Structures are given as structure tokens and as C-alpha cells.
Amino acid sequence: MSQAGFLKSDGRAVVVAIDHPLYSWPCAGLEDRAKILRQVTAAGADAVIASYGTIRDLRPAFGKAAPILKLDLTTVTLGSSYPLTEYVPAWTVEDALRLDVQAVLTYVQLGAPFELEALRVAGQVAAACDRHGLAYVCEIMPIECAMFPDAAAPEAIAAASRAGAELGAHVIKTTMPVPAESVGEAVACGVPVILAGGALAKDRAGLLAQVETAVAQGAAGVAFGRNVWGSRDPAGMVASLCGIVHADRRVVVQ
Amino acid sequence: MSQAGFLKSDGRAVVVAIDHPLYSWPCAGLEDRAKILRQVTAAGADAVIASYGTIRDLRPAFGKAAPILKLDLTTVTLGSSYPLTEYVPAWTVEDALRLDVQAVLTYVQLGAPFELEALRVAGQVAAACDRHGLAYVCEIMPIECAMFPDAAAPEAIAAASRAGAELGAHVIKTTMPVPAESVGEAVACGVPVILAGGALAKDRAGLLAQVETAVAQGAAGVAFGRNVWGSRDPAGMVASLCGIVHADRRVVVQ
Amino acid sequence: MSQAGFLKSDGRAVVVAIDHPLYSWPCAGLEDRAKILRQVTAAGADAVIASYGTIRDLRPAFGKAAPILKLDLTTVTLGSSYPLTEYVPAWTVEDALRLDVQAVLTYVQLGAPFELEALRVAGQVAAACDRHGLAYVCEIMPIECAMFPDAAAPEAIAAASRAGAELGAHVIKTTMPVPAESVGEAVACGVPVILAGGALAKDRAGLLAQVETAVAQGAAGVAFGRNVWGSRDPAGMVASLCGIVHADRRVVVQ
Amino acid sequence: MSQAGFLKSDGRAVVVAIDHPLYSWPCAGLEDRAKILRQVTAAGADAVIASYGTIRDLRPAFGKAAPILKLDLTTVTLGSSYPLTEYVPAWTVEDALRLDVQAVLTYVQLGAPFELEALRVAGQVAAACDRHGLAYVCEIMPIECAMFPDAAAPEAIAAASRAGAELGAHVIKTTMPVPAESVGEAVACGVPVILAGGALAKDRAGLLAQVETAVAQGAAGVAFGRNVWGSRDPAGMVASLCGIVHADRRVVVQ
Amino acid sequence: MSQAGFLKSDGRAVVVAIDHPLYSWPCAGLEDRAKILRQVTAAGADAVIASYGTIRDLRPAFGKAAPILKLDLTTVTLGSSYPLTEYVPAWTVEDALRLDVQAVLTYVQLGAPFELEALRVAGQVAAACDRHGLAYVCEIMPIECAMFPDAAAPEAIAAASRAGAELGAHVIKTTMPVPAESVGEAVACGVPVILAGGALAKDRAGLLAQVETAVAQGAAGVAFGRNVWGSRDPAGMVASLCGIVHADRRVVVQ
């Protein structure tokens, strides 16, 4: 497996996600896409997960950050609590190529009624990426279900990561396990694992400390959305993440 | 994003929709397609939304107005109250190219049981248009639902417009928000927003005043059907709309 | 729109339908396909609606009559009362081309649970015909439903005809409205309208008088099945129809 | 229509069917495919209906008999009483061509819940065969239902045969009607009709007498499975059938 | 039929399966894919059944063992008791070719609600393999159902094997019948039959004795997963299996 192009030479990446308006609105802080893109890329973000329309129309604002095209969508009327919902693919690897994008992403919820079809899409997209030389980021997360009563348990996150590796993902995006120290079980799958941020954290320093722990245990970085664009200081948050992810800097509560 | 060809150099357009007979009949005023087409295009309409059959068979009557091919359809027996209904794509971008049409449209109802599939079609059509150099008009409207208890509320119209932009629409057609002054929230999505007219207004001057307000707040124009062909004076209505949309003329109650 | 090839220079046609054995058997009078084909074509039929097998195997018996390939089918076990039933496409425009056939037909029931899919097929077949230079006959008929409590009412037949025109049909086959004088409302759709015969009429002269009236009001002819092959004198019936349709001859009760 | 290649110059054929292990096992007498193939082809069978695997792996054992590839399948766990079940196509005309096979077969049950889809497949396979110069055998049989209270009644078998002809079959395989004398009603469809054998007959001479009667009334032969490979003397049974079908020999009870 | 390339010149093979993490996790012993691959291939395994991701990313660790790509998947949240579940194809023969893999596998459960679709996939994959010169391993197993009250009964295993042969499998993987002596009924299908190991056996010597018996009765080898990677000594287990399968060595309880 060749390394995904958006990973730095240290094999890690700070990714920002701004795809939320297709399933959640309003998104305070994300009204002006060009502005947030310029802020986070200037602050060092390695890649940005975004929709087809955003990548096509705002490419210059990505700067040096690599766009990651999200190929699937769900209902716009999902609501901000993000209940369980079906995701279906709308765009293809061919669309990514036409947009001159080198990485794509789809979303899999393990334990959801839609799991099987999402896994099939994941496997097909992985193969399509290999055909065309793209990188496939598999966002694969357990939800609370019979097999995963605790969706953030170490073994649940490890199961998700290993499944992503078997499916052919080049990079895995999954939930931060609790405790963060346990991420090594997931990292053992052999494919770079980056961690999602989830809802806006009240304790920013605590979140950054978790990232530091996870990176120390082998995680390849983060993919944060609400904790970047929804924070009081998106550029500062990205800079802090870059410091931790790429330089192994210790977090100091500010 | 290159600008849709049917927008004037001011980035705005007056669009007339005459696609109604595929889901509503009788349509008083729309019996003679050639006549209404000649009237509205002579009066300055920039584009006309019409069915496959109408565009193929009556092209000369479009004059200088750009035809916009509606790619999807619903049941003919829908009835004039337009209840919630499924739309499915029947024609393709390839059909548009064969008809020498530069813009196409599909319809998305946010909050409907058919929302997810309609969104998928929207994303696919946007990409197909980019492949072939066409413009995609995404008609995307909230309906009354849990997330949008008021389907014309500013935040609902803004959510719909932003979703259209993320999907890759080149132009968005949506509902006139209440109040019309709030259209700026929708316009902030960055893609030209044109406003639908809905049922025939009893207060024509009031409707035109709303258009004036909306254009002043950044709307890119209108796409009116029943308020044009169902009015007592289709040509006059189009001329009035052109005056407001293209010349920022004030409405005077007649 | 170029004129369908099976219409005579007067823009009209007498069509015979012999496709019934795929959904109704026995069909007294239709046992011998070659015989009935020779009878009706010798008597002047301009076109014959038939199945794939009949057109492929009995082409010489069509004589100068143009074969119209019916692309869809329903269950064989429908029964002679023709209850509501689903039609699905089985053959394609490519099959028509291989059979050297210049016109095809599909069936749409407005108000049926299967209406939406049948409309989609109609739109797709219309476009496929345009791609390949064939004529599409859209057989589109209201059934008794909330929107059309009287399936033969003038406004119901007009709605069906107009929908067929918007879909891109080159010729419309629909129900004879009651009264026949009202067919002008349907003819106003701008596409040639030919009228179905329905069940075998007890009053042949009355049926012919209806045809005469309809043609006088602009109908482009008839497409009769049971009233031709199920009659006591198929050739005579076709000759009578040709006299009315093509020569504006008055019907005289025999 | 050109004649199916597996019919002899007299337009008739003795066909053996050995496709049963895909929906019924054990099949006493069919354990050794090569052996039964050599027996029946040495005895004069003109064609053998078999599965993809059998034709690919045992072709030399077919001798001069033409393989007929069954394109569809149902569940293996159907059981020996053959209850109503869905058949779906698994192989294609392209597969037949690659196997150097000149004839294919699919199965249609008239009156079954799966009838419509099976008819659609039949029509599509008929057209695919015409594209590639193959022969399509349509196995089409009434089952007991509202329209056919007696599934072996002359009018039921005639309806099935006529439907097969309209669908574009080159050969029809259907049920032996009761009485066998009535097969002429089915034969009137104009396409060669061959008769299935059904369950192993206790009265072999009676079965052969039925065949003799049917052939005398115009049937084009038989397609027997259990009455060949399940009999005490497969080769003898085939020889008897060949004597009746090809030489109009009278049956003498042995 | 040409012989599958992973069978040795004696027509037999010892296959190891490590595809379990896509439907069951944790898998104690399978955490490190490279390690287990090197162990089993060094010990003489002829082939290894694995996922798309494993074959793509860890090919060097396969050594001389042939990778067999499993084309279908089920839910990750299946759980370790392997309840009844749907399998769907995610990868294709084209993917196998791109990975330079010569053999593929899909899974069919006879008696499951998903049986019909799995059989269709099996037939299609068999044909696709023949088009491209690959070997198709059909993993086909009865489950407890009306037709197979005992899913390991000799007649059940024979029915499954024969069905696999009729479908066009080049190799059949099925359940070890009880008793193992009865495997000859399955072997009679004419296609090489290899036997699955199932859950980790408490009595390893007994399991090996079963293998010895089965091979003596004509089985072409084994495809073991949990009994290899889940055992205390994967390399030793593979060596024992190779001794039995390829050299007809007697098992001695160690």
C-alpha cells in the first residue's frame, strides 16, 4: 500500500472536516466557507473533508491543504443531534478525478440497520481508488448496539479499524476510544488511524491531551470538524493540533 | 464555478416555468404552449423551465429565452393542491445535449420521505452537468416537517440553499422566505438563488414588492409559473419582473 | 417534431392492434395471426401494433402496414376483464431497430399504482426514439380514480393527451372521450391523437359515427383491436375505418 | 424465424433434461452425469437441457446431442415436490456463446406471483438470442390459479404456447395437455411445441401413447427428465421416444 | 475444466482462511496478519483465503501460498456465534485480476432466506472466472432447515457439493459431513471438495483423524481457519494437515 498523499512525511495528518451543512444547519462558524478554509489551511491543516460543491467552487481557498471528497450523503433534515440515518453514495471516484482530488471518503456505521450496504460501498470505493491511484479514507465508527454496548470501548474501536483495513481503506477515520491510551489496539490494524473530534468539547485542553495520548500510542492524527470551525479560534485550534500531531509537543493547559 | 449561461451579465435572471401539465391539469392559461412561449420571451424572459416534449417540439417559440429541461417527473394525477409526492428522473444530461439545451433542473423536497433519493439524484446531476459543461438548477424547497415547522422560515430557506450549494448546483431555485428581507441568509451560500412564485397571488403588487426586496438583498431573480401564465397579463408580468430584477426598479402599486 | 412514418400524408392513420394474446386468451378471431394480418393490411390498415414474436416471425404478412412494436408486457393471466395491472418494459428501441421497425409503443395508466414508473418509461422511450429516429406511440389512458372519477370525461382525455405531449410522444393513443365531440380538447395538445376502440361494440354503426365525429374534431385516426379482429368482418371494418379516417366519408348505418 | 438447430430435419426433437440437481436432490439415476449423458445421446437424444457446470465440464459426454443451457435457477432447497418458487437468471447468452452452445432455456410459471418478472426475462432472452443467432426455448407452464383452475386443460396449454410465441420463443416447452389429443390448440401458435414429462410415470406405455397422440396432432417432440434418467432403462426410453417422435411409429405395450 | 492453480499436482490442497475479522472480532491469534501468514505459508499452506485489504497490503507475506480473494462480505457486527446473515458481493473478478490473484471465493448458505441471491451470485462469479481464466471456489454449506434437518448429514453435504458443481465451481468448500467416511457421496459430484474446519476443536487429534478419513474417501483437502490461527501452534497444525492431505500419512495422537 502506497501512503495517502495528504499524510505528511511523518505519516500523520491534521484533517479538518467542513462537510456538515449537507446534514446539519445552521452550523455557527461555518457560514463562510472561504474564510474558514483560508484560516485552517493557513494554520497548517493537511487536508479538508468537504462536499462536491465546496471543492468545485472554492478550490483556491484550500491552499496547500488536500481536499478529501466525501462521496456519500444523507438527509439534510437530519438535525443537529445526528440520529441514526442512511448514507448513500452520490459521487464517484471519476468525479474526484475530474475535480483533481486525490482522496475520497465514505461513512460506515457499525451496528446500524444500513451497515451491510455501507460496507459494500466501502469495499467498492476502496477498489475503485486502487484502480485510479486515489486514497480511500474509510470513516468507520461503532454505534451503540448489541455487539458494542459501549461504542467507544477499545475493542469496539479496534474492531472498526481492523474492518476498515480488511475492506481496503488507505486511511481510517474513527472515534477516539475511551481511554485514549487504548488506541494502540486500533492502530495494530496496520493502516493509519485518524481520530474524529465529535461534538464541540467544553474542555479543549482535555481534548488536546487525549489527542496527544493517542498520537503517542500510534494514531496518525485527527479529523476534527465542530471542534475546529465551531471553536472560538479555529486557526489556533488547528495550530495546536499540528503541534501535537506533527511535533509530539506536550499539551499545556492555557 | 462558471456562471450559468441563462443569467444575464448582471448575474440575474427572470425565469418562467411552464412544466406544470405533467403534474396538474387543467392549467388555465397554459393551453397553447407556443402562444405563452412567444408572449413571455417577447417580454424579456431569460429562460423557460419546460418538459422534454415542449422543448423538442416548440423550440422556435422559445425565441432568445434559454430552455431549462426538467429531468424528473411525478404522477400526472397529482392534482392541483400539489400534495407530497415522489419525483423520479426520466431524462438525462445526454438528452439535454441532444436537444441543444444548456441547463437542466431537478426537484428536491427537504423533509419529504423521498428526500434522500432526490438528494442523490441532485448530486449526480450536478456532476453530470460538470462533465458536459451544462448548468444545473437545483429546485430545493423545505416542506413542513419536524426540522422545518415553518417551511418558509429564513433558516429553512437558508438550509435549503446551502445544501444546494454543497450538492454542486450552479443555480438554486427555492421558496421566497418570509419575510423577503431575510433572503440574505440564503444568498450567503454563494450560489445564485432564484425564487419560486408559488400559487397565483391575489396581491400582485405585494408579490412584486417581495421580489424587489429579495433582489435588493442579493437574490438572483425569480422562476415564476402560475403567476405568469395564470395571470391576466403574462407579458406584462414578465416585463414587470424584468424591470425589478434587471434594473432595480422600484415597484409602484398600479 | 418530424411526423411518424405510419401516418399517411393526411397526417392520419388506421391502426390495428393484435397484441392481445400476451395478456388475454382465448381471443376469438385472432387464432391465425397471418390470416388476420393479411386481411387487415389488404383492407388498408396503415399500421399494426403487435408483439416482438409476431413482428419477427410474421413480417411478410404485414404487407404495406407498418409494424408498431409494443415494448412492454403484463401478466398472461390477466384475464379478459383487463383489471388494473403492472406493465414492465421487456424490449428496447435497439430490438425495434434490429427488427427494422420504425415505431414503438408503451402503455401508461393514469391513476394506477404503477403510474409513476410507467411515466418514467414513457419519457425514456421517447428520448431513445429521438436518438434513433423512431416514432414513439404513447398509449396513455386515465383510469377511474380520485382525479378522474369519469375516466372518459373530456378533461381526463385532454389531461392524458397533454401529458403524452409533454413526455415527448410522437403519437398519442388514448380513450375515445364521451362525448366524441369533445376530442378537440385532447387534440389541442399538438401531437396527433388516435383513439382506442375498447371492447367489441354491439353497435358498430354507432362506434363508426363516434370515429367520424372525432376525426371531424381533429383526431388523427384510430387504433382498434377487438373491434377489428373480433368483429364478424375484420376487412370490412378496416375498410370502413379507412373511409372515415382518410376520406372524411360519412357513416351510413348499414 | 430460422429453425432451432437441435430440431431434426423433420422439425422435431427428443430432448432430455438433466438440470434437476440444482433444485432437487437426491436424484436417483442422475448421480453420474457422464454416464447418463453417454447413455441418452447414444440412444439418439437430439438435445440435453443442463446446467452451466454440467455443460462446461462434461461436454464430450454430450456426443452429438446439442446442449441447451438453462439460464435461470431457483433454490437448491426446493425439495422434490417442486412447490411454487422464484426463478432468477444467473447466466447469459454471452455465457452460452463462450460455452459454444446454440440454445438456451428459461422457465416461466403462468399464474405464479413471479410471473411478470419471468415473462420479462423471457422477452429479453428471446431478443438476446436473436442478436446472437441462438435459439431460445421458453419453458412456459400454467399453474393452478384463478385463470387456469385446471393447469393441464387444453385452453391453458394453448394460452401458454401462444404467449411463448408472442414473446419470441423459437421453441416452446410446456405441459402435456389433458387429453393429449388437444395439443393441436397449442401447436396452432406456430412455434414448435415440445412436451415435458413431469414426474416419473407409473404407466410408461400410457405415457408413450400420449406422446404418440401429441406428435400426431403436431407436437414437435418431448423434453423428458425424470421419465428418462429416473426410469429403469434410460437408453431404452430415449430410443422409444425417438421411434415415436421421428418415425411416427405406433406404441406397442411391451 | 482445467484444475485450479492452487491445487498441488496431487489435486489436493491445504488452505488456510484468515478472512474472519470482517465479521468477527476479536480473533485471538489473528491480530498480526503478516506473522500468521508467514507461519502458515512457511509450514506449507497451499493457499490462503483473505480479504481484499489483506491481499493488497500484505502480499509478500503470502510467500508461495496462493491468495484466494473472498468477494463477498456480511456485517462486521455479526458476532462470534455466526448467526444466519446475508452476504453481498463487494469485489469483482476484475479486482482479483488487478491484485494478480488467480482464485476467488463466495459463500452460499443453503436453506437461508438469502439462498437464492447467493446462488445467483455464485453462478455469475463462476462464469466471470471462466471469462478471465480464474478459479472459483464455491463455499456452499447447508444450514439446519426443513430440507436439511441435520446440516452435516451425508446427503446434505452431497446436495451442496452437487449444487456447487452444477453452478460451475472449480473447487467446492463445504462442511465436514458426519461421519467423515460419507464424504464420498459429496466427492461424487466430480469437482474437488475441500472441507471447512469450523469452530476450534477441543480434540485436535480427532479432527485430524476426520481429515485423514475424508481424504481417504476422495476429499481434495481442507480449508481451515480457527483451527489454524486459533490453535496453540498454527505452523504445526498446517504441517500436520499437509502431511495428511498430500502424503496420506496416518494421524498419530500426539
Side-chain angles (χ1 to χ4, degrees):
Chain A
M1 182 177 53
S2 59
Q3 180 175 296
F6 66 83
L7 297 175
K8 277 220 168 128
S9 57
D10 59 5
R12 298 179 187 168
V14 171
V15 181
V16 176
I18 63 165
D19 58 302
H20 305 65
L22 257 179
Y23 52 92
S24 169
W25 191 258
C27 296
L30 200 45
E31 292 84 355
D32 187 333
R33 290 178 288 181
K35 183 179 164 194
I36 196 78
L37 276 168
R38 283 190 293 259
Q39 288 178 325
V40 302
T41 58
D46 300 300
V48 178
I49 299 167
S51 69
Y52 179 86
T54 296
I55 295 178
R56 186 194 65 192
D57 293 344
L58 297 161
R59 187 58 173 274
F62 282 77
K64 294 183 178 173
I68 300 176
L69 175 61
K70 183 166 182 161
L71 298 183
D72 50 0
L73 52 72
T74 186
T75 55
V76 172
T77 53
L78 186 58
S80 58
S81 64
Y82 295 2
L84 200 58
T85 183
E86 189 177 6
Y87 276 73
V88 295
W91 295 281
T92 66
V93 164
E94 285 71 24
D95 293 322
L97 289 170
R98 199 181 56 251
L99 291 183
D100 194 22
V101 162
Q102 310 303 321
V104 299
L105 175 148
T106 73
Y107 185 34
V108 182
Q109 287 181 313
L110 299 182
F114 319 106
E115 178 188 346
L116 182 56
E117 188 54 27
L119 288 168
R120 174 163 25 188
V121 168
Q124 291 170 334
V125 170
C129 283
D130 287 335
R131 268 201 304 280
H132 294 291
L134 299 194
Y136 171 51
V137 181
C138 184
E139 180 170 356
I140 185 164
M141 295 176 171
I143 63 165
E144 192 183 313
C145 62
M147 191 177 169
F148 303 126
D150 175 358
E155 57 272 22
I157 305 307
S161 299
R162 179 63 178 261
E166 303 268 342
L167 287 166
H170 302 95
V171 173
I172 287 156
K173 174 184 173 188
T174 190
T175 312
M176 175 79 74
V178 176
E181 285 80 1
S182 72
V183 81
E185 289 184 43
V187 167
C189 74
V191 171
V193 172
I194 60 178
L195 299 162
L200 183 59
K202 291 179 183 169
D203 175 10
R204 178 168 162 169
L207 178 63
L208 291 175
Q210 285 184 313
V211 172
E212 185 182 4
T213 302
V215 170
Q217 298 299 323
V222 294
F224 276 24
R226 288 166 284 173
N227 277 293
V228 170
W229 53 257
S231 77
R232 62 180 190 277
D233 175 18
M237 185 63 174
V238 169
S240 296
L241 289 168
C242 289
I244 298 166
V245 168
H246 288 304
D248 289 324
R249 269 191 246 152
R250 294 235 152 233
V251 173
V252 180
V253 180
Q254 305 174 310
Chain B
M1 181 177 55
S2 59
Q3 180 176 296
F6 66 84
L7 297 174
K8 277 222 168 126
S9 56
D10 59 6
R12 298 180 187 166
V14 171
V15 180
V16 176
I18 62 165
D19 59 301
H20 305 66
L22 257 180
Y23 53 90
S24 169
W25 191 258
C27 296
L30 201 44
E31 293 83 356
D32 186 334
R33 291 178 287 182
K35 184 180 164 193
I36 197 78
L37 276 167
R38 281 190 295 258
Q39 287 178 327
V40 302
T41 58
D46 299 300
V48 178
I49 299 166
S51 68
Y52 179 85
T54 296
I55 295 177
R56 186 194 65 192
D57 294 344
L58 297 162
R59 186 59 172 273
F62 281 77
K64 294 185 178 172
I68 300 175
L69 176 62
K70 182 165 183 163
L71 298 182
D72 51 1
L73 51 72
T74 186
T75 55
V76 171
T77 53
L78 186 58
S80 57
S81 64
Y82 295 2
L84 200 58
T85 183
E86 189 176 7
Y87 277 72
V88 295
W91 296 279
T92 66
V93 164
E94 285 71 24
D95 293 323
L97 288 169
R98 199 181 55 250
L99 291 183
D100 194 21
V101 163
Q102 310 303 322
V104 299
L105 175 149
T106 72
Y107 184 36
V108 182
Q109 287 181 313
L110 299 181
F114 319 106
E115 178 188 344
L116 181 56
E117 187 54 28
L119 288 167
R120 175 163 24 188
V121 167
Q124 292 170 333
V125 170
C129 282
D130 287 335
R131 267 201 305 279
H132 294 291
L134 299 195
Y136 171 50
V137 181
C138 184
E139 180 171 355
I140 185 164
M141 296 176 171
I143 63 165
E144 191 183 313
C145 62
M147 191 178 169
F148 303 126
D150 174 359
E155 58 271 23
I157 305 306
S161 299
R162 178 64 178 260
E166 303 268 342
L167 288 167
H170 301 95
V171 173
I172 289 156
K173 175 185 172 189
T174 189
T175 312
M176 175 79 73
V178 176
E181 284 78 2
S182 72
V183 82
E185 289 185 42
V187 167
C189 75
V191 170
V193 173
I194 60 177
L195 298 161
L200 183 58
K202 290 180 184 168
D203 175 10
R204 178 167 161 172
L207 178 63
L208 291 175
Q210 285 183 313
V211 172
E212 185 182 4
T213 300
V215 170
Q217 298 298 324
V222 294
F224 275 25
R226 288 166 284 174
N227 276 292
V228 170
W229 53 257
S231 77
R232 63 180 189 276
D233 175 20
M237 185 64 174
V238 169
S240 296
L241 290 167
C242 288
I244 297 166
V245 168
H246 289 303
D248 288 324
R249 267 190 247 152
R250 294 234 152 234
V251 173
V252 180
V253 180
Q254 306 174 307
Chain C
M1 181 177 52
S2 58
Q3 179 175 297
F6 66 83
L7 297 174
K8 278 219 168 130
S9 57
D10 58 6
R12 299 180 188 167
V14 171
V15 180
V16 175
I18 63 165
D19 59 300
H20 305 65
L22 256 180
Y23 52 91
S24 168
W25 191 257
C27 295
L30 201 45
E31 292 84 356
D32 186 333
R33 290 179 287 182
K35 184 180 163 192
I36 197 79
L37 276 168
R38 282 192 293 258
Q39 287 177 328
V40 301
T41 57
D46 298 300
V48 177
I49 299 166
S51 69
Y52 179 84
T54 297
I55 295 177
R56 185 193 68 192
D57 293 343
L58 297 161
R59 187 58 172 273
F62 281 78
K64 294 183 179 172
I68 299 176
L69 175 62
K70 183 165 183 164
L71 298 182
D72 51 0
L73 51 73
T74 186
T75 55
V76 171
T77 53
L78 185 58
S80 57
S81 64
Y82 295 2
L84 202 56
T85 183
E86 189 177 6
Y87 276 72
V88 294
W91 295 279
T92 66
V93 163
E94 285 72 24
D95 293 323
L97 288 170
R98 198 181 57 250
L99 292 183
D100 194 21
V101 162
Q102 310 303 322
V104 300
L105 176 149
T106 73
Y107 184 35
V108 182
Q109 287 181 313
L110 299 181
F114 319 106
E115 178 188 343
L116 182 56
E117 187 54 27
L119 288 167
R120 171 155 39 182
V121 167
Q124 292 170 333
V125 169
C129 282
D130 286 335
R131 268 201 304 280
H132 295 292
L134 300 195
Y136 170 50
V137 181
C138 184
E139 181 170 355
I140 186 164
M141 294 176 173
I143 63 165
E144 192 183 313
C145 63
M147 190 177 169
F148 302 127
D150 174 359
E155 58 272 21
I157 305 307
S161 298
R162 179 64 178 260
E166 304 269 341
L167 287 167
H170 300 94
V171 172
I172 288 156
K173 174 185 173 189
T174 189
T175 312
M176 174 79 73
V178 176
E181 283 79 4
S182 73
V183 81
E185 288 184 43
V187 167
C189 74
V191 170
V193 174
I194 59 178
L195 299 161
L200 182 58
K202 290 179 183 168
D203 175 10
R204 178 166 160 170
L207 178 62
L208 291 175
Q210 285 184 312
V211 172
E212 185 181 2
T213 300
V215 170
Q217 297 299 325
V222 293
F224 275 25
R226 289 166 284 174
N227 277 293
V228 169
W229 52 258
S231 77
R232 63 181 189 276
D233 176 20
M237 185 63 173
V238 169
S240 295
L241 289 168
C242 288
I244 297 167
V245 168
H246 289 304
D248 288 324
R249 266 189 248 153
R250 295 232 152 236
V251 173
V252 180
V253 181
Q254 306 174 309
Chain D
M1 181 177 55
S2 60
Q3 181 176 295
F6 66 84
L7 297 175
K8 277 219 168 132
S9 57
D10 58 6
R12 298 179 187 166
V14 170
V15 180
V16 175
I18 63 167
D19 59 301
H20 304 65
L22 256 180
Y23 51 91
S24 168
W25 191 258
C27 295
L30 201 45
E31 293 83 357
D32 186 333
R33 289 178 288 181
K35 183 179 164 193
I36 196 79
L37 276 168
R38 282 192 292 259
Q39 287 178 326
V40 301
T41 56
D46 299 300
V48 177
I49 299 167
S51 69
Y52 179 85
T54 296
I55 295 177
R56 185 193 66 191
D57 295 343
L58 297 161
R59 187 60 172 272
F62 281 77
K64 294 184 179 172
I68 300 175
L69 175 62
K70 183 165 183 164
L71 299 182
D72 51 0
L73 51 72
T74 187
T75 55
V76 172
T77 53
L78 185 59
S80 57
S81 65
Y82 294 1
L84 201 56
T85 183
E86 190 176 6
Y87 276 72
V88 295
W91 295 281
T92 66
V93 163
E94 285 72 24
D95 293 323
L97 288 170
R98 198 181 57 251
L99 291 183
D100 194 21
V101 162
Q102 310 303 322
V104 299
L105 175 148
T106 74
Y107 184 35
V108 182
Q109 287 181 313
L110 299 181
F114 319 106
E115 177 188 345
L116 183 56
E117 187 55 27
L119 288 168
R120 174 160 30 186
V121 168
Q124 291 170 333
V125 170
C129 282
D130 287 334
R131 268 202 303 282
H132 294 292
L134 299 194
Y136 171 50
V137 182
C138 184
E139 180 171 356
I140 186 165
M141 294 176 173
I143 62 164
E144 192 182 313
C145 64
M147 191 176 169
F148 302 126
D150 174 0
E155 58 272 22
I157 305 307
S161 299
R162 179 63 179 260
E166 303 269 341
L167 287 166
H170 300 94
V171 172
I172 289 156
K173 174 184 173 189
T174 190
T175 312
M176 175 78 75
V178 176
E181 284 80 2
S182 71
V183 82
E185 289 184 43
V187 167
C189 75
V191 170
V193 174
I194 60 177
L195 298 161
L200 183 58
K202 290 178 184 169
D203 175 10
R204 177 166 163 172
L207 178 62
L208 292 175
Q210 284 183 312
V211 173
E212 185 182 4
T213 300
V215 171
Q217 297 299 325
V222 293
F224 276 25
R226 288 166 285 173
N227 276 293
V228 168
W229 52 257
S231 76
R232 64 182 189 275
D233 175 19
M237 185 63 173
V238 169
S240 295
L241 289 167
C242 288
I244 296 167
V245 168
H246 290 304
D248 289 324
R249 266 189 247 154
R250 296 233 151 233
V251 174
V252 181
V253 181
Q254 305 174 311
Chain E
M1 183 176 54
S2 59
Q3 181 175 294
F6 66 83
L7 297 175
K8 277 219 167 132
S9 56
D10 58 6
R12 298 179 186 166
V14 171
V15 181
V16 175
I18 63 166
D19 58 302
H20 305 66
L22 256 179
Y23 52 91
S24 168
W25 191 259
C27 295
L30 201 45
E31 292 84 356
D32 186 333
R33 289 178 288 181
K35 182 179 164 195
I36 196 78
L37 276 168
R38 281 191 293 259
Q39 287 177 326
V40 302
T41 57
D46 300 300
V48 178
I49 299 166
S51 70
Y52 179 85
T54 296
I55 295 177
R56 186 193 66 190
D57 294 343
L58 297 161
R59 188 59 173 273
F62 280 78
K64 293 184 179 173
I68 300 175
L69 175 61
K70 182 166 182 162
L71 299 182
D72 50 1
L73 51 72
T74 187
T75 55
V76 172
T77 53
L78 186 58
S80 58
S81 64
Y82 295 0
L84 200 57
T85 183
E86 188 177 7
Y87 276 73
V88 295
W91 296 280
T92 65
V93 163
E94 285 71 24
D95 293 322
L97 288 170
R98 198 181 57 251
L99 291 182
D100 194 21
V101 162
Q102 310 302 321
V104 299
L105 175 147
T106 73
Y107 184 35
V108 182
Q109 286 181 313
L110 299 181
F114 319 106
E115 178 187 345
L116 182 56
E117 188 53 27
L119 289 167
R120 174 162 28 187
V121 168
Q124 291 170 333
V125 170
C129 282
D130 287 335
R131 267 202 304 280
H132 294 291
L134 299 194
Y136 170 51
V137 181
C138 183
E139 181 171 356
I140 186 164
M141 295 177 171
I143 63 164
E144 192 183 312
C145 63
M147 192 177 168
F148 302 126
D150 174 359
E155 58 272 23
I157 305 308
S161 299
R162 179 62 178 262
E166 303 269 341
L167 287 166
H170 300 95
V171 172
I172 287 157
K173 175 184 172 189
T174 189
T175 312
M176 176 79 75
V178 177
E181 285 80 1
S182 73
V183 82
E185 288 184 43
V187 168
C189 74
V191 171
V193 174
I194 61 178
L195 298 161
L200 183 57
K202 292 178 182 168
D203 175 11
R204 177 166 162 169
L207 178 63
L208 292 174
Q210 284 184 315
V211 172
E212 184 182 3
T213 300
V215 170
Q217 298 299 324
V222 294
F224 275 24
R226 288 166 285 173
N227 277 292
V228 170
W229 54 256
S231 76
R232 65 181 188 276
D233 175 20
M237 185 63 173
V238 169
S240 296
L241 289 168
C242 288
I244 297 166
V245 168
H246 289 303
D248 289 323
R249 268 191 245 152
R250 296 236 149 232
V251 173
V252 180
V253 180
Q254 305 174 311

